[in-house]
Amino acid sequence: MTPEIAKSILVVGAVAWFVIRLPHQKRSWKTKTRLDRRTLREKILLTCSFTGLGIIPFIYVFSGVPRFANYPFQPVLAWLGTAVFAASLWLFYRVHRELGRNWSDSLEVREQHALVTEGLYRYVRHPMYTAFFMWALAQALLLPNWIAGPAGLVGFGTLFLFRVGQEERMMLDTFGEEYRAYMKRTARLIPGVY
């Protein structure tokens, strides 16, 4: 494992992420929404996440900037990052398949939206967020830079911190006691932990 291979793994993983999401995104655009809570705040949060998981690491990958924040490359961390990224891609794929037409990249409820509580959703309410946190962790392990590496954890962490409560309120408004009972028997991100 070399720094160049680690950078390539991050780029290939990001492209794979896009390829997995694209058909679901296209279908999402065609599915009518019943409730839309996309606001300026939501757009800012999505921009924070994209900056941390996309813009900053890709500037680093393709230019090496900011060089002053580099630290010595550790192959074992890069191998671990590769494994975490592969697991995140698998999880990301599974979540999209399990959600089907209920998926949205924003705070929306679809027409004929159903509460998904099977598969991965039997254990956690937000496995998509788990997959994004795994990507952010993989990025931190693959990029030996104190800014570009953890930028995904900061960017996506910001989105999660300020969005998950709103998303759960929206689900409570939509599904009421059914969602409240679901919240009691599942964790947010990690089964049995949180």
Side-chain angles (χ1 to χ4, degrees), residues 25-39:
Q25 184 72 59
K26 286 182 177 180
R27 184 179 61 218
S28 174
W29 291 332
K30 295 175 185 174
T31 306
K32 292 184 179 184
T33 58
R34 176 173 54 166
L35 176 64
D36 185 344
R37 293 194 178 162
R38 284 180 294 173
T39 62

Side-chain angles (χ1 to χ4, degrees), residues 120-127 130 182 186-191:
L120 296 168
Y121 286 86
R122 181 180 310 134
Y123 308 104
V124 290
R125 296 189 300 275
H126 304 287
T130 304
Y182 175 62
T186 56
R188 273 186 170 164
L189 296 175
I190 303 169

Side-chain angles (χ1 to χ4, degrees), residues 25-181:
Q25 184 72 59
K26 286 182 177 180
R27 184 179 61 218
S28 174
W29 291 332
K30 295 175 185 174
T31 306
K32 292 184 179 184
T33 58
R34 176 173 54 166
L35 176 64
D36 185 344
R37 293 194 178 162
R38 284 180 294 173
T39 62
L40 176 60
R41 179 179 187 261
E42 171 75 359
K43 291 174 185 174
I44 290 169
L45 291 173
L46 287 168
T47 300
C48 286
S49 182
F50 180 69
T51 300
L53 289 170
I55 295 171
I56 293 172
F58 279 81
I59 288 172
Y60 176 74
V61 164
F62 293 110
S63 73
V65 173
R67 286 179 178 78
F68 72 87
N70 286 344
Y71 59 85
F73 179 76
Q74 312 232 349
V76 70
L77 293 181
W79 282 112
L80 182 58
T82 301
V84 171
F85 211 152
S88 78
L89 288 170
W90 172 84
L91 182 59
F92 193 66
Y93 173 78
R94 283 276 314 267
V95 170
H96 277 86
R97 292 209 29 118
E98 289 179 11
L99 281 176
R101 292 198 173 273
N102 299 300
W103 176 78
S104 172
D105 65 351
S106 194
L107 294 177
E108 299 174 320
V109 175
R110 301 287 179 204
E111 291 286 333
Q112 301 171 357
H113 199 109
L115 180 60
V116 177
T117 61
E118 294 300 316
L120 296 168
Y121 286 86
R122 181 180 310 134
Y123 308 104
V124 290
R125 296 189 300 275
H126 304 287
M128 181 85 66
Y129 290 160
T130 304
F132 271 103
F133 271 122
M134 290 171 69
W135 172 359
L137 176 60
Q139 177 180 308
L141 294 167
L142 288 165
L143 300 182
N145 184 279
W146 291 112
I147 295 174
L153 289 167
V154 173
F156 182 73
T158 301
L159 177 136
F160 176 79
L161 181 66
F162 291 103
R163 183 203 234 187
V164 72
Q166 284 191 316
E167 184 171 336
E168 291 191 335
R169 276 190 295 280
M170 182 179 73
M171 298 303 281
L172 282 166
D173 291 346
T174 303
F175 296 106
E177 286 306 313
E178 182 183 8
Y179 193 75
R180 193 174 314 282

